[in-house]
Every structure is written in structure tokens, then in C-alpha cells.
Amino acid sequence: MSTPTRAEWEQRFQSLTIEGRAFIQGEYCDAASGETFDCISPVDGRFLTKVASCDTADADRAVASARATFESGVWSRLAPVKRKAIIIRFADLLEQNAAELGLLETLDMGKPISDSYHIDIPLSARALRWSGEAIDKIYDEVAATAHDELGLVTREPVGVVAAIVPWNFPLMMACWKLGPALATGNSVVLKPSEKSPLTAIRIAQLAIEAGIPPGVLNVLPGFGHTVGKALGLHMDVDTIVFTGSTRTAKQLMIYAGESNMKRVWLEAGGKSPNIVFADAPDLKEAAKAAASGIAFNQGEVCTAGSRLLVERSIKDQFLPLVIEALKTWKPGHPLDPETNVGALVDTQQLNTVLGYIEAGHADGAQLVAGGKRTLEETGGVYVEPTIFDGVSNAMKIAQEEIFGPVLSVITFDTPEEAIKIANDTQYGLAAAVWTRDISKAHLTAKALRAGSVWINQYDGGDMTAPFGGFKQSGNGRDKSLHAFDKYTEIKATWIKL
Ligand code: NAD
């Protein structure tokens, strides 16, 4: 699949009709209040569309629609093999509309079109397809009972799932939730981020085309503190599945406690350590991975390798390799197929990132690459990939999630010290270890308090492996069959024979 040129993407934009309304009971509709907000592209400040600003009234309608559809059994009681076929068709439709969805994703959140088109959209389709394909291959259990009893252990859909997702991989994060939620027979209310709602809104129509009954997938764009909060507090939402910041994740736990004790599954922030030992098999490869680990998706990645822990004996040799590798990651126009670093999602995020760069200076870290806003003349929101050397793990830039392309380099002397620094964080999402010593690799991996550990690579994994966090990076897992746990209740049925 070759990528069209920038001019071709601009041409497509001219003929694009962008939908900004909510989607309830199989139809696009305005927010009950009639309120909208402007969707502005961070690429160059262009206006994209007006988006419905949903609130409590819309949440009530969408949840009622999801509940009625769930109770009707039109989806929840459909044979798994039939749900499978429809979900696979839904995945096919994402792929058939990859150019439109990729363009929307890039214009809406600023990521390079090559990433949207070749990574985000195909992996979103894969997430749906993988879950759909799995659903008619999962069996329930028979308990080890006495001879005159039969104990059935069965899984049932939880009911109404509210999925609240972030802006960094808008469609992919939505599909990590939608795949298992729909496959297991639930009805869903999807709330995309106010910063990137367009692909979620668009795929609601594709779901209907695929054969998913109206009311099974509703989409409510709007602000977190209004429509997100309304879903969090809703008495008829059975489960919240969330990806986003740790701050919002904690708020959702409070909402659940204040309302109906709905299940709350959280995929939250990270501050992942990337540990390079002196005996790494290939320092050049490790340097390349360190650069992509902080620059890919403009550093707006929950698993960004934002803390680079380097053994002191190779620091002077290794850091120049990282600086060199980072030069290949250059901000450019996101619709240019050669661009590998796009725009940050908005001015607010730019100011956050610049604020952390200032904090790095103020705390005495040494800037060795980047550090400034760039391409301001485009009207877009871009920042240079940045490296601070001489960082101590206590500094603000080493403790807080920046969610931008800012790398902190920290040195260590022993494996024990590396592990201690790596684990000295509120987060526990991911970590990487570079060494050719197999025992050191495994012992370090075991000691790291993180949901994913990569050895001699950064950012491995696919739908076949679970993904999620220890500590304040969340609970539960997305992807793989483990994800199905979030969307099902377990029932024990005892029969006296
Ligand atoms: P965010 O927490 O600000 O927003 C996430 C979603 O929650 C959005 O849809 C937002 O509208 C909504 N929201 C905000 N306040 C709310 C409230 N009070 N009640 C209900 N909903 C509310 O996060 P973000 O800035 O969109 O995303 C970035 C964060 O997401 C980072 O922390 C990143 O690490 C995390 N993330 C985690 C994973 C993972 O799998 N662990 C993946 C991607 C991103």
C-alpha cells in the first residue's frame, strides 16, 4: 500500500465531508443542547468542522439506547459465530476506508500520515478482527463437582460499556476496547477525546454498514468533565473502560464509588525506563531504538521510553549515537509521506511540553538536543525532539509524564541501581533492557514493576499479548484473550442431578 503524495492528500481533503455529530441509536444527531465546539487541526490551524458538545442529556439517551439494545438480545444473544462475521466485516470496512480515516486522524491530531495510514488504521482493523475471530473459539468451564451435581462456570457480557479514550492513538485505542466489548456481546457508548473525535464518529456509520444493530455502538463526542463525567456517574453503565491520564483514571474510580460501583478498568500514564547496559549486543541499534522510543508519535505515547538509563562506562560513547539517531526524526508537514514527526495535538499540549523543557533547564539538566518550538510559520504546533543529559531521577522531567518528545538521560553503575531507579516512579507501564547476558536480562525483567518488558528492543508486542500497567499505570489488560475479562461477568450455575 503506497502512500499518496502531500498534494494528493490535500486534494482528498477538498472533497472530504467531515461528520461532527454524535451517533445514537444508529443515527447521527446534534447534542440535545445544540452546543458545538470547533475542531481545529494542529497541522496548520485549519478549521475542520463543528463537533457536537454532548452532555448529561446525551449520555442519558445513549445509555438508554445501549441498554434497550442489550436487553433486546439482538446483539448480546446473537450466536458468537454471527457476531464474529459482522465484526470481521467492520474491520474490513475500516481497511477499505483507510485513506479517509488516515486523513481524518492526521488532520485531527497531527500525527504523520504515513503512521495513520500504515499503522493506526491497519492496527485498529486488526484489533477488531482479532477479537471477532477469537469469540467462537472460547469455551466455558465445567466445575470439578461431586457425581450428583453439575457446576457450570459461564461468562456473560457485562451489559452497557462506556469506553472513554484518549487522543494519541484515537482510533486504535477505541478499537482495543470495541473489539472485545462487541465480540462478547455488550452494547457500547464510546466517548472519544475532545481533541480527536473525528474517526470515532466516522466509524459509527461503518459499524451499521457492517451489520452491527443500531444502539449497539453509540458515539458521544464532548468534553471529559461533562459527558465523560456523566458516563462515569451514570447509574445504568455497568462498566467503564478507559485509556487516558492517571489523573482522570483516579477520578473515574471516585465516580464509580459515588454511583453504582460500576466496574472500572484503567489504562493510564507511564514514565518508562529504557535500560542500556554496557554489554548491550549492538549500541547503534539500542541508540536507534532510544530515539524512536521518544520521537515516534511526537512522544505522545503512553509507553514512550522517556527515561534512558545508561551504564556510566558507556555513557560517553552511547549518548552521541542517540543524538545522531534522533537527527533522523524531524518535524515536518504531517501530510508529507516522508514526515516522521508531526504536530503536537494542540497548543495546550505544546505549552505543557515547553513547560517541562523549562523545568529541565531550571533543575540543572543539560540540554544536548532540540528544546524549542519549530515550524511556527506553518500555523501548526511543532516541537523539536529534545534530549536532556545529566538528569537525576528525582527531577520533575524524570518523574512526571511529559507526553512529548523529551528524553531524560540518567546514568547508573550497577544492575541493582538501574532497577532501583527504573522502579522509582508512580508508573509501571513498560520498560526495556539491553544486554547480551541472558541471566541479567531475565533477572532485570523480573525485577521491573511494569506490565510490558522488552529485551533488546523497544515497543514489541501485538494483539496476541496483553497490554497494561502495574501501579498507577492502571489495572486489567487490553489486547489478547485477557482483555475479555473486562467485558464479561463470571456466573456459577449449580445443578442437582
Ligand atoms: P485524559 O485523561 O485527559 O483524557 C482521556 C479521556 O478522558 C478523554 O476522552 C477525556 O475527554 C476524558 N476525560 C477527561 N476528564 C474526564 C473526567 N473528569 N471524567 C470522565 N472523562 C474524562 O488523557 P489524554 O490527555 O486524552 O491522553 C493522554 C494520556 O493517556 C497519557 O497519560 C497517556 O499515558 C495515556 N495513555 C495510556 C495508554 C495505555 O494503554 N496505558 C495508551 C494511550 C494513552
Side-chain angles (χ1 to χ4, degrees), residues 164-169 173 176-177 191-195 222-230 232 242-249 251-252 255 266-270 300-303 349 401 403 427 429 467-469 473 478:
I164 301 182
V165 294
W167 49 261
N168 62 333
F169 294 96
M173 293 303 102
W176 283 11
K177 314 291 188 202
K191 195 210 92 60
S193 169
E194 56 276 17
K195 295 177 196 261
F223 290 87
H225 56 271
T226 51
V227 70
K229 181 176 177 184
F242 171 79
T243 298
S245 65
T246 294
R247 180 180 29 83
T248 307
Q251 198 56 50
L252 289 167
Y255 296 154
L266 307 164
E267 299 289 341
E300 296 163 328
V301 182
C302 54
T303 54
Q349 189 61 16
E401 185 181 41
F403 227 54
Y427 298 111
L429 194 56
F467 180 85
S473 288
D478 278 341

Side-chain angles (χ1 to χ4, degrees), residues 325-406:
L326 200 66
K327 286 185 187 153
T328 64
W329 291 86
K330 266 204 216 100
H333 197 288
L335 290 182
D336 181 338
E338 296 303 315
T339 293
N340 60 3
V341 179
L344 296 179
V345 72
D346 62 10
T347 311
Q348 192 187 353
Q349 189 61 16
L350 172 76
N351 290 337
T352 301
V353 173
L354 294 177
Y356 278 111
I357 291 173
E358 260 174 49
H361 287 298
D363 285 346
Q366 293 104 50
L367 184 79
V368 293
K372 291 192 303 294
R373 182 177 184 176
T374 183
L375 301 176
E376 208 171 337
E377 68 284 0
T378 60
V381 185
Y382 301 83
V383 74
E384 295 170 343
T386 296
I387 305 177
F388 277 107
D389 187 18
V391 176
S392 100
N393 200 52
M395 287 180 189
K396 191 174 160 126
I397 54 169
Q399 283 296 320
E400 295 182 17
E401 185 181 41
I402 298 174
F403 227 54
V406 181

